[in-house]
Amino acid sequence: ISRLAAGPEHCRNLMIPALEMMLSASPVVDAVSLSGRPSLWTQCAAFLSCDLGGPYVCTGHGRTLLPDDVQEVGCVLATRLPHVLISVLYTLSRITYLEMLDGATFTSSSVVVEASLLPLLVSSLECQSDEAHHLALLALSHLACRAPVATLLAKDEDVLRIIHAIRRDSTWLALVQQAEDVLKLIHEGGASGVFSYDGMPVHSSHD
């Protein structure tokens, strides 16, 4: 395979050996996916060159969503690019899930609402990715366990329209069930159930 060229960011360039090892092990380095996604080599090169259309870099997050993270999360959600969204949607679903289990004071959930991230989170349900829908619905199921958030969602006709559309149109039964769960939480104004990463219910004493 061709060697990857270093880009303008030193931190990304540190990954060149690992990326080249991955490329050498891939049987389809130069193949474009059926959906039109660029080849693996092209995506690696775009990542290193900081191309805005390339894969997004994720530095990870701790157990809570800090104010300093808000701008980054908002920027990623605003892209509405499926392969970009999955990283931050996983972060949001994980943080809100751990917050429920820890019996925390819902600091991260409050940040999501106060920073106007909720509409961006909902808009990710309109991208063309079942995995993004799955993670977004998980995050919404955790957030909707709080009565104030459930009330906000219930007042938004677009939220209800989008989730109803997923329940009606999705061919993935797990997504249909997730959509029904979120709608139930919204209509009931929050509940004591909270759903984990895989969609299995986990008991929580908070509402």
Side-chain angles (χ1 to χ4, degrees):
I1 64 170
S2 303
R3 298 295 301 272
L4 291 169
E9 290 190 3
H10 175 67
C11 291
R12 297 193 188 203
N13 293 337
L14 292 175
M15 296 185 64
I16 288 178
L19 292 175
E20 290 184 339
M21 183 180 295
M22 176 184 69
L23 289 172
S24 66
S26 173
V28 288
V29 174
D30 298 317
V32 176
S33 70
L34 294 176
S35 64
R37 181 181 296 181
S39 69
L40 184 59
W41 192 93
T42 299
Q43 291 187 73
C44 288
F47 171 79
L48 292 172
S49 65
C50 303
D51 189 320
L52 292 178
Y56 192 82
V57 61
C58 178
T59 56
H61 297 278
R63 296 178 69 85
T64 59
L65 187 65
L66 301 175
D68 289 345
D69 300 324
V70 170
Q71 184 176 3
E72 177 188 346
V73 170
C75 288
V76 177
L77 288 174
T79 68
R80 301 184 71 173
L81 298 173
H83 67 287
V84 174
L85 286 171
I86 288 172
S87 172
V88 75
L89 289 174
Y90 176 83
T91 292
L92 289 174
S93 62
R94 171 182 176 273
I95 285 173
T96 51
Y97 171 63
L98 293 175
E99 188 172 71
M100 295 293 293
L101 292 187
D102 289 347
T105 56
F106 302 109
T107 302
S108 296
S109 300
S110 298
V111 169
V112 169
V113 174
E114 293 168 4
S116 300
L117 295 179
L118 204 54
L120 290 172
L121 174 58
V122 172
S123 71
S124 67
L125 291 171
E126 294 188 293
C127 76
Q128 300 300 311
S129 168
D130 283 345
E131 183 62 21
H133 295 171
H134 164 64
L135 292 170
L137 286 171
L138 279 181
L140 285 172
S141 70
H142 303 158
L143 291 166
C145 285
R146 291 191 62 200
V149 179
T151 300
L152 278 176
L153 293 172
K155 294 178 179 178
D156 192 324
E157 293 183 1
D158 283 340
V159 171
L160 301 179
R161 173 185 59 79
I162 293 169
I163 299 177
H164 274 294
I166 290 177
R167 184 181 66 171
R168 181 188 67 240
D169 301 334
S170 178
T171 57
W172 188 6
L173 294 181
L175 274 184
V176 174
Q177 184 61 56
Q178 279 187 287
E180 291 179 352
D181 292 335
V182 173
L183 288 170
K184 182 178 179 181
L185 285 170
I186 291 173
H187 291 311
E188 292 180 351
S192 59
V194 59
F195 296 83
S196 66
Y197 303 135
D198 57 7
M200 296 299 291
V202 176
H203 178 74
S204 173
S205 59
H206 299 281
D207 53 41

